[in-house]
Amino acid sequence: MKVLSQSTAFGGMQGVYSHESEACQCEMTFAVFVPPQAIREPCPVVWYLSGLTCTHANVMDKGEYRRMAAELGLIIVCPDTSPRGNDVPDELTNWQMGKGAGFYVDATETPWSTNFRMYTYVTEELPAFVSQHFRIDMSRQGIFGHSMGGHGAMTIALKNPDRFRSCSAFAPIVEPSTADWSVGAFEKYLGDDRSSWRQYDACALVNDGARFPEFLIDQGKADAYLETGLRPWLFEEAIKGTGIELTLRMHERYDHSYFFISTFMDEHLKWHADRLS
């Protein structure tokens, strides 16, 4: 593990690190905030998955999570959103595809399948790696994210209910198989057979029998992507009669930005802490 930076914050340590990833076949960067409680004992971990065009740095710089994470004793791990490097395929003029747009899937189509294995990276390789280097109680894990990362968090929780105790999302893409800003990426990453897309679609997973106890979703009503990309009401409809509980909060005047995320970050961290205690 390469240490790229470390800074003390609220009695804990905010670090940025990198390592060679077997899943993504490149060097991957991630951020970890370790609260002061980890000096004494292993702490629960909450994984934060970022959205399109982002890296690990967006939430680290603008998410305003450290004060509350230090108070609650939560380790926060922030992976990158895609593989990086000169040899990694990309579409330079398409922000919805390639670098910064991994969609937390394991690509099966060339040229993407060699590097774009973000589902395996986030669910297997990175957890195994960080558990070797940080005092994490891996029996207490939560996951959340924003937009594309909200999609990733919800699908990962639905597919791994025995691993995660909590899941929340800011403005998630709940049905990426039909959303205008994800269909193109799914076709290129996963091919024309749309049945293979269902494993990475929260609404489809629920319809196919996947279950998770409860979700918290915050969504801004002034979000420019609400009607065509996000559509949280589709997930609300999908879970009817399933026993899955949903707290869906629609907020007047809030948009898709980190001003929105930082406003409700404390409440999400408290949500996770309650379920990880």
Side-chain angles (χ1 to χ4, degrees):
M1 184 173 70
K2 295 180 182 177
V3 178
L4 303 183
S5 67
Q6 287 183 321
S7 300
T8 300
F10 299 99
M13 180 68 71
Q14 176 66 68
V16 179
Y17 312 93
S18 69
H19 71 124
E20 290 296 327
S21 166
E22 182 177 344
C24 297
Q25 294 294 297
C26 65
E27 187 173 28
M28 295 292 289
T29 302
F30 61 96
V32 181
F33 175 73
V34 179
Q37 294 87 336
I39 296 172
R40 303 187 302 271
E41 59 187 5
C43 292
V45 60
V46 185
W47 301 83
Y48 180 88
L49 306 185
S50 290
L52 283 163
T53 74
C54 292
T55 70
H56 67 281
N58 294 74
V59 69
M60 186 180 74
D61 294 342
K62 298 183 287 187
E64 301 181 19
Y65 58 80
R66 278 172 289 269
R67 181 189 61 80
M68 185 55 64
E71 179 180 323
L72 298 172
L74 298 175
I75 292 174
I76 310 296
V77 180
C78 309
D80 201 348
T81 54
S82 76
R84 308 279 177 176
N86 293 332
D87 297 328
V88 173
D90 194 17
E91 293 188 359
L92 295 177
T93 60
N94 183 4
W95 61 275
Q96 298 170 335
M97 187 69 196
K99 295 176 187 177
F103 276 96
Y104 305 101
V105 305
D106 280 351
T108 57
E109 303 298 300
T110 56
W112 313 101
S113 56
T114 297
N115 304 103
F116 284 78
R117 302 183 66 239
M118 288 301 295
Y119 181 83
T120 293
Y121 178 70
V122 168
T123 62
E124 297 180 19
E125 185 177 22
L126 187 58
F129 187 78
V130 298
S131 67
Q132 298 174 19
H133 296 277
F134 301 93
R135 300 192 71 186
I136 298 175
D137 181 351
M138 297 298 282
S139 69
R140 295 187 288 164
Q141 297 188 63
I143 189 166
F144 68 151
H146 170 232
S147 194
M148 178 184 74
H151 135 75
M154 293 175 68
T155 56
I156 288 170
L158 283 163
K159 294 170 70 172
N160 298 274
D162 295 333
R163 179 185 303 183
F164 296 98
R165 294 192 190 181
S166 58
C167 181
S168 70
F170 302 99
I173 309 171
V174 300
E175 194 176 82
S177 62
T178 63
D180 61 350
W181 59 352
S182 48
V183 167
F186 272 41
E187 287 178 342
K188 293 174 183 178
Y189 287 143
L190 303 172
D192 295 331
D193 181 6
R194 295 201 173 200
S195 64
S196 68
W197 300 10
R198 298 182 68 83
Q199 62 182 311
Y200 301 115
D201 183 303
C203 290
L205 282 167
V206 170
N207 290 332
D208 291 345
R211 296 292 181 265
F212 195 77
E214 57 182 339
F215 294 89
L216 167 65
I217 294 176
D218 275 313
Q219 173 66 60
K221 288 187 176 182
D223 192 319
Y225 306 107
L226 177 58
E227 296 291 336
T228 58
L230 307 173
R231 306 168 298 167
W233 48 85
L234 297 180
F235 189 71
E236 189 174 35
E237 181 66 26
I239 65 170
K240 286 183 178 178
T242 65
I244 297 173
E245 296 184 13
L246 171 64
T247 301
L248 173 59
R249 307 190 300 186
M250 303 293 294
H251 301 281
E252 298 285 350
R253 302 189 307 278
Y254 283 94
D255 59 16
H256 200 67
S257 71
Y258 268 89
F259 297 111
F260 157 64
I261 296 169
S262 62
T263 299
F264 301 103
M265 178 62 75
D266 282 2
E267 295 177 34
H268 280 246
L269 293 178
K270 290 176 181 177
W271 165 277
H272 289 280
D274 286 345
R275 288 149 183 80
L276 298 177
S277 62

